[in-house]
Short mmCIF file of all heavy atoms in Angstrom, two decimals:
data_model
loop_
_atom_site.label_atom_id
_atom_site.label_comp_id
_atom_site.label_asym_id
_atom_site.label_seq_id
_atom_site.Cartn_x
_atom_site.Cartn_y
_atom_site.Cartn_z
N GLN B 62 52.78 78.18 121.68
CA GLN B 62 53.10 79.48 122.25
C GLN B 62 52.34 79.63 123.55
O GLN B 62 51.63 78.72 123.95
CB GLN B 62 52.68 80.58 121.29
CG GLN B 62 51.21 80.48 120.92
CD GLN B 62 50.98 81.00 119.52
OE1 GLN B 62 51.63 81.93 119.07
NE2 GLN B 62 50.07 80.38 118.80
N ASN B 63 52.41 80.80 124.16
CA ASN B 63 51.72 80.99 125.43
C ASN B 63 50.34 81.57 125.23
O ASN B 63 49.78 82.16 126.15
CB ASN B 63 52.57 81.89 126.34
CG ASN B 63 52.60 83.32 125.82
OD1 ASN B 63 52.68 83.53 124.62
ND2 ASN B 63 52.53 84.28 126.71
N LEU B 64 49.77 81.45 124.04
CA LEU B 64 48.41 81.90 123.78
C LEU B 64 47.48 80.71 123.73
O LEU B 64 47.89 79.59 123.43
CB LEU B 64 48.36 82.65 122.45
CG LEU B 64 49.20 83.92 122.32
CD1 LEU B 64 49.19 84.41 120.89
CD2 LEU B 64 48.70 84.99 123.27
N SER B 65 46.20 80.96 124.01
CA SER B 65 45.19 79.93 123.88
C SER B 65 43.94 80.55 123.29
O SER B 65 43.78 81.78 123.26
CB SER B 65 44.87 79.30 125.24
OG SER B 65 44.34 80.28 126.12
N ALA B 66 43.05 79.71 122.77
CA ALA B 66 41.81 80.21 122.19
C ALA B 66 40.66 79.37 122.70
O ALA B 66 40.81 78.20 123.04
CB ALA B 66 41.88 80.17 120.67
N SER B 67 39.48 80.01 122.74
CA SER B 67 38.28 79.28 123.15
C SER B 67 37.11 79.75 122.30
O SER B 67 37.09 80.87 121.80
CB SER B 67 37.98 79.50 124.64
OG SER B 67 37.76 80.87 124.91
N ARG B 68 36.14 78.86 122.16
CA ARG B 68 34.92 79.18 121.41
C ARG B 68 33.74 78.73 122.27
O ARG B 68 33.20 77.65 122.09
CB ARG B 68 34.91 78.46 120.06
CG ARG B 68 33.73 78.84 119.19
CD ARG B 68 33.90 78.29 117.79
NE ARG B 68 32.76 78.60 116.94
CZ ARG B 68 32.73 78.35 115.63
NH1 ARG B 68 33.79 77.79 115.03
NH2 ARG B 68 31.67 78.64 114.92
N PRO B 69 33.35 79.59 123.22
CA PRO B 69 32.27 79.22 124.14
C PRO B 69 30.89 79.22 123.51
O PRO B 69 29.99 78.51 123.98
CB PRO B 69 32.37 80.29 125.23
CG PRO B 69 33.03 81.45 124.56
CD PRO B 69 33.95 80.87 123.55
N GLN B 70 30.71 79.99 122.45
CA GLN B 70 29.45 80.04 121.73
C GLN B 70 29.72 79.94 120.22
O GLN B 70 30.85 80.17 119.78
CB GLN B 70 28.69 81.34 122.02
CG GLN B 70 28.33 81.52 123.48
CD GLN B 70 27.59 82.82 123.73
OE1 GLN B 70 26.66 83.14 122.98
NE2 GLN B 70 27.98 83.56 124.74
N ASP B 71 28.70 79.65 119.45
CA ASP B 71 28.86 79.40 118.02
C ASP B 71 29.58 80.53 117.29
O ASP B 71 30.41 80.30 116.41
CB ASP B 71 27.48 79.18 117.39
CG ASP B 71 27.58 78.89 115.90
OD1 ASP B 71 28.49 78.14 115.50
OD2 ASP B 71 26.75 79.41 115.14
N ARG B 72 29.26 81.79 117.67
CA ARG B 72 29.80 82.91 116.92
C ARG B 72 30.72 83.79 117.75
O ARG B 72 30.89 84.97 117.49
CB ARG B 72 28.63 83.74 116.36
CG ARG B 72 27.88 83.01 115.26
CD ARG B 72 26.59 83.70 114.89
NE ARG B 72 25.58 83.54 115.92
CZ ARG B 72 24.38 84.11 115.88
NH1 ARG B 72 24.05 84.88 114.88
NH2 ARG B 72 23.50 83.91 116.84
N GLN B 73 31.34 83.19 118.76
CA GLN B 73 32.24 83.92 119.64
C GLN B 73 33.57 83.20 119.71
O GLN B 73 33.64 81.99 119.97
CB GLN B 73 31.63 84.03 121.05
CG GLN B 73 32.45 84.85 122.01
CD GLN B 73 31.85 84.84 123.42
OE1 GLN B 73 31.18 83.87 123.80
NE2 GLN B 73 32.09 85.89 124.17
N PHE B 74 34.64 83.95 119.51
CA PHE B 74 35.98 83.36 119.51
C PHE B 74 36.86 84.26 120.37
O PHE B 74 36.89 85.48 120.17
CB PHE B 74 36.51 83.30 118.08
CG PHE B 74 37.54 82.24 117.82
CD1 PHE B 74 37.66 81.12 118.63
CD2 PHE B 74 38.40 82.33 116.73
CE1 PHE B 74 38.59 80.14 118.37
CE2 PHE B 74 39.33 81.36 116.45
CZ PHE B 74 39.43 80.25 117.27
N ILE B 75 37.55 83.67 121.33
CA ILE B 75 38.32 84.44 122.30
C ILE B 75 39.78 84.01 122.26
O ILE B 75 40.08 82.81 122.26
CB ILE B 75 37.75 84.27 123.72
CG1 ILE B 75 36.31 84.80 123.77
CG2 ILE B 75 38.62 84.99 124.74
CD1 ILE B 75 35.59 84.49 125.07
N LEU B 76 40.67 84.97 122.25
CA LEU B 76 42.11 84.72 122.31
C LEU B 76 42.61 85.17 123.67
O LEU B 76 42.32 86.28 124.10
CB LEU B 76 42.83 85.49 121.21
CG LEU B 76 44.35 85.28 121.11
CD1 LEU B 76 44.67 83.87 120.64
CD2 LEU B 76 44.97 86.29 120.16
N SER B 77 43.36 84.30 124.36
CA SER B 77 43.77 84.59 125.72
C SER B 77 45.24 84.27 125.95
O SER B 77 45.84 83.50 125.21
CB SER B 77 42.95 83.76 126.72
OG SER B 77 41.57 83.96 126.54
N SER B 78 45.74 84.90 127.00
CA SER B 78 47.06 84.55 127.50
C SER B 78 47.07 84.77 129.00
O SER B 78 46.45 85.71 129.50
CB SER B 78 48.15 85.41 126.86
OG SER B 78 49.40 85.15 127.46
N LYS B 79 47.76 83.92 129.72
CA LYS B 79 47.85 84.09 131.17
C LYS B 79 48.96 85.09 131.51
O LYS B 79 48.85 85.86 132.46
CB LYS B 79 48.13 82.75 131.84
CG LYS B 79 46.97 81.78 131.76
CD LYS B 79 47.28 80.47 132.48
CE LYS B 79 46.09 79.53 132.38
NZ LYS B 79 46.38 78.22 133.04
N LYS B 80 50.05 85.06 130.73
CA LYS B 80 51.17 85.97 131.00
C LYS B 80 51.79 86.41 129.67
O LYS B 80 52.43 85.61 128.99
CB LYS B 80 52.25 85.27 131.84
CG LYS B 80 51.90 85.05 133.28
CD LYS B 80 53.09 84.48 134.05
CE LYS B 80 52.75 84.30 135.52
NZ LYS B 80 53.92 83.77 136.27
N LEU B 81 51.62 87.66 129.33
CA LEU B 81 52.12 88.16 128.07
C LEU B 81 53.64 88.31 128.06
O LEU B 81 54.26 88.64 129.08
CB LEU B 81 51.50 89.52 127.76
CG LEU B 81 50.05 89.50 127.26
CD1 LEU B 81 49.48 90.90 127.26
CD2 LEU B 81 49.95 88.87 125.90
N LEU B 82 54.21 88.07 126.88
CA LEU B 82 55.64 88.27 126.65
C LEU B 82 55.81 89.46 125.71
O LEU B 82 54.88 89.82 124.97
CB LEU B 82 56.26 87.03 126.00
CG LEU B 82 56.03 85.69 126.70
CD1 LEU B 82 56.55 84.56 125.83
CD2 LEU B 82 56.72 85.68 128.05
N LEU B 83 57.00 90.04 125.71
CA LEU B 83 57.27 91.14 124.78
C LEU B 83 57.03 90.71 123.33
O LEU B 83 56.51 91.47 122.51
CB LEU B 83 58.72 91.63 124.93
CG LEU B 83 59.05 92.46 126.16
CD1 LEU B 83 60.55 92.74 126.23
CD2 LEU B 83 58.26 93.77 126.18
N SER B 84 57.37 89.47 123.05
CA SER B 84 57.25 88.95 121.68
C SER B 84 55.79 88.75 121.25
O SER B 84 55.53 88.45 120.08
CB SER B 84 58.00 87.62 121.55
OG SER B 84 57.49 86.68 122.48
N ASP B 85 54.86 88.92 122.16
CA ASP B 85 53.44 88.80 121.81
C ASP B 85 52.89 90.07 121.15
O ASP B 85 51.75 90.09 120.68
CB ASP B 85 52.60 88.47 123.05
CG ASP B 85 52.86 87.08 123.57
OD1 ASP B 85 53.09 86.17 122.75
OD2 ASP B 85 52.84 86.90 124.82
N SER B 86 53.68 91.13 121.13
CA SER B 86 53.23 92.36 120.47
C SER B 86 52.96 92.08 119.00
O SER B 86 53.69 91.33 118.35
CB SER B 86 54.31 93.44 120.59
OG SER B 86 54.48 93.84 121.93
N GLY B 87 51.91 92.73 118.47
CA GLY B 87 51.59 92.55 117.07
C GLY B 87 50.18 92.97 116.78
O GLY B 87 49.46 93.49 117.65
N PHE B 88 49.76 92.72 115.56
CA PHE B 88 48.42 93.06 115.09
C PHE B 88 47.64 91.75 115.03
O PHE B 88 47.97 90.86 114.25
CB PHE B 88 48.54 93.72 113.72
CG PHE B 88 47.29 94.36 113.21
CD1 PHE B 88 46.43 95.04 114.06
CD2 PHE B 88 46.97 94.31 111.86
CE1 PHE B 88 45.28 95.66 113.58
CE2 PHE B 88 45.83 94.93 111.37
CZ PHE B 88 44.98 95.60 112.24
N TYR B 89 46.62 91.62 115.87
CA TYR B 89 45.85 90.39 115.96
C TYR B 89 44.54 90.54 115.19
O TYR B 89 43.79 91.49 115.39
CB TYR B 89 45.57 90.03 117.43
CG TYR B 89 46.81 89.55 118.14
CD1 TYR B 89 47.74 90.45 118.65
CD2 TYR B 89 47.07 88.19 118.27
CE1 TYR B 89 48.89 90.01 119.28
CE2 TYR B 89 48.22 87.74 118.90
CZ TYR B 89 49.12 88.65 119.40
OH TYR B 89 50.27 88.21 120.01
N LEU B 90 44.29 89.58 114.34
CA LEU B 90 43.13 89.64 113.47
C LEU B 90 42.27 88.41 113.62
O LEU B 90 42.75 87.28 113.56
CB LEU B 90 43.58 89.75 112.00
CG LEU B 90 44.23 91.07 111.62
CD1 LEU B 90 45.21 90.88 110.48
CD2 LEU B 90 43.17 92.09 111.25
N CYS B 91 41.01 88.63 113.83
CA CYS B 91 40.02 87.56 113.85
C CYS B 91 39.38 87.50 112.46
O CYS B 91 39.20 88.54 111.81
CB CYS B 91 38.97 87.85 114.91
SG CYS B 91 37.68 86.60 115.06
N ALA B 92 39.04 86.32 112.01
CA ALA B 92 38.41 86.17 110.69
C ALA B 92 37.40 85.04 110.73
O ALA B 92 37.46 84.16 111.59
CB ALA B 92 39.46 85.91 109.63
N TRP B 93 36.47 85.09 109.79
CA TRP B 93 35.50 84.00 109.66
C TRP B 93 35.35 83.61 108.20
O TRP B 93 35.60 84.40 107.29
CB TRP B 93 34.13 84.40 110.23
CG TRP B 93 33.35 85.35 109.35
CD1 TRP B 93 33.43 86.70 109.32
CD2 TRP B 93 32.38 84.98 108.38
NE1 TRP B 93 32.58 87.21 108.37
CE2 TRP B 93 31.90 86.18 107.78
CE3 TRP B 93 31.85 83.75 107.93
CZ2 TRP B 93 30.93 86.19 106.78
CZ3 TRP B 93 30.89 83.76 106.94
CH2 TRP B 93 30.44 84.97 106.38
N SER B 94 34.94 82.37 107.96
CA SER B 94 34.60 81.93 106.62
C SER B 94 33.40 81.01 106.71
O SER B 94 33.12 80.42 107.75
CB SER B 94 35.78 81.21 105.95
OG SER B 94 36.09 80.00 106.62
N LEU B 95 32.69 80.91 105.60
CA LEU B 95 31.47 80.11 105.57
C LEU B 95 31.79 78.61 105.63
O LEU B 95 31.17 77.85 106.34
CB LEU B 95 30.69 80.44 104.30
CG LEU B 95 29.20 80.11 104.31
CD1 LEU B 95 28.50 80.82 105.45
CD2 LEU B 95 28.59 80.52 102.98
N THR B 96 32.78 78.22 104.85
CA THR B 96 33.22 76.82 104.84
C THR B 96 34.74 76.79 104.90
O THR B 96 35.40 77.84 104.92
CB THR B 96 32.74 76.10 103.57
OG1 THR B 96 33.38 76.71 102.44
CG2 THR B 96 31.23 76.18 103.41
N ARG B 97 35.30 75.58 104.88
CA ARG B 97 36.74 75.47 105.03
C ARG B 97 37.52 75.95 103.81
O ARG B 97 38.73 76.17 103.90
CB ARG B 97 37.11 74.01 105.31
CG ARG B 97 36.65 73.50 106.64
CD ARG B 97 37.18 72.11 106.91
NE ARG B 97 36.81 71.15 105.88
CZ ARG B 97 37.32 69.94 105.78
NH1 ARG B 97 38.24 69.54 106.64
NH2 ARG B 97 36.94 69.12 104.83
#
Side-chain angles (χ1 to χ4, degrees):
Chain B
Q62 56 211 325
N63 69 321
L64 298 172
S65 62
S67 61
R68 185 170 178 173
Q70 299 180 46
D71 181 41
R72 290 169 288 176
Q73 184 184 28
F74 206 22
I75 298 172
L76 182 69
S77 305
S78 174
K79 292 182 179 178
K80 287 186 179 181
L81 284 169
L82 307 173
L83 285 174
S84 58
D85 291 324
S86 293
F88 191 38
Y89 288 82
L90 291 152
C91 180
W93 75 274
S94 66
L95 201 57
T96 64
R97 292 186 303 169

